[in-house]
Amino acid sequence: DVQLVESGGGSVQAGGSLRLSCQASGYASGVTCMAWFRQAPGKEREAVAASYSGGGFTYSADSVKGRFTFSQDKAKNTAYLEMNSLKPEDTATYYCAAVSDWSCRLNLGTRSSYNFWGQGTQVTVS
């Protein structure tokens, strides 16, 4: 199993920035894809950004392209989401997700591709 713990959420004014972190533990070396999802009240959980550990496959939602950047420090088993130019519509609970399945690269933005989830961190933009 893989355990995921998010941090870095908070409240920020529109136009501001935040960096979320996701620390993986357990069988972290077996993870093939990691992603950030978000869920606003009353809405479906949606993919924000994702990456395949083998390289060559990434995902970024149209709504965040040019503003959010996904990165990983594999030595630290940590994924990051750098969020710039934040908008009120970015307000949501942000979840880190991971999976140990090579086929994940074909559906990086699909919720069902992932079977390990963090507890979420709240981001509020006003």
Side-chain angles (χ1 to χ4, degrees):
D1 280 4
V2 177
Q3 293 77 46
L4 303 171
V5 178
E6 303 99 333
S7 61
S11 297
V12 64
Q13 291 188 334
S17 300
L18 283 173
R19 189 176 82 154
L20 305 183
S21 299
C22 173
Q23 175 71 57
S25 61
Y27 187 50
S29 60
V31 168
T32 52
C33 292
M34 291 192 75
W36 287 97
F37 284 71
R38 67 185 181 186
Q39 187 167 18
K43 294 189 176 181
E44 295 288 320
R45 190 172 298 189
E46 62 175 358
V48 175
S51 180
Y52 170 62
S53 63
F57 295 84
T58 60
Y59 172 87
S60 181
D62 288 342
S63 59
V64 305
K65 283 180 180 177
R67 301 189 299 122
F68 291 10
T69 302
F70 179 101
S71 63
Q72 284 181 271
D73 184 334
K74 294 180 181 179
K76 296 182 178 180
N77 291 323
T78 302
Y80 303 96
L81 185 67
E82 186 76 36
M83 304 185 294
N84 298 313
S85 302
L86 283 161
K87 305 175 180 180
E89 51 264 43
D90 294 319
T91 295
T93 301
Y94 284 71
Y95 297 90
C96 180
V99 64
S100 300
D101 184 337
W102 298 107
S103 67
C104 62
R105 68 193 188 277
L106 304 177
N107 294 287
L108 283 171
T110 302
R111 180 175 177 177
S112 60
S113 295
Y114 302 89
N115 56 357
F116 300 113
W117 293 85
Q119 81 289 351
T121 185
Q122 179 66 36
V123 172
T124 303
V125 185
S126 59

